[in-house]
Amino acid sequence: MVPLSTYGALQSQVVQRAWKDSDFKQKLLSDPKAAIQEVLGVSLPGHLKLRTVEESANELVFVLPATPDTVMESKASPQALW
């Protein structure tokens, strides 16, 4: 499991870059792992699925986290590559 502070820092970097760089934003929407690797140099584990969704002015995207029991029982490595 990735520490929340690490995820928050990465998310902040990605959002700020996407707001400033339209090419990065398009790549992030089409191939988020590659965009993050290329621009930020962050390598995400191969088993990790990543999806980018852009909100509009009239839409709010709500993310429902995995159930804690499911996360704790997963076979994911306890060490993440950020």
Side-chain angles (χ1 to χ4, degrees):
M1 208 165 148
V2 177
L4 200 51
S5 60
T6 303
Y7 171 75
L10 177 63
Q11 183 181 28
S12 179
Q13 285 181 315
V14 169
V15 169
Q16 288 178 24
R17 182 64 182 249
W19 285 343
K20 294 177 184 177
D21 182 343
S22 61
D23 291 336
F24 172 70
K25 179 180 173 181
Q26 290 308 310
K27 177 82 173 191
L28 187 63
L29 289 166
S30 65
D31 190 353
K33 276 187 167 180
I36 291 170
Q37 171 71 41
E38 290 171 16
V39 175
L40 301 176
V42 176
S43 181
L44 299 172
H47 71 276
L48 183 67
K49 293 179 184 177
L50 184 59
R51 197 169 17 152
T52 303
V53 178
E54 182 179 16
E55 288 182 344
S56 69
N58 297 319
E59 177 183 38
L60 177 63
V61 176
F62 185 79
V63 177
L64 183 61
T67 304
D69 291 343
T70 305
V71 174
M72 298 305 288
E73 292 176 5
S74 75
K75 294 182 181 184
S77 172
Q79 298 176 356
L81 303 173
W82 286 108

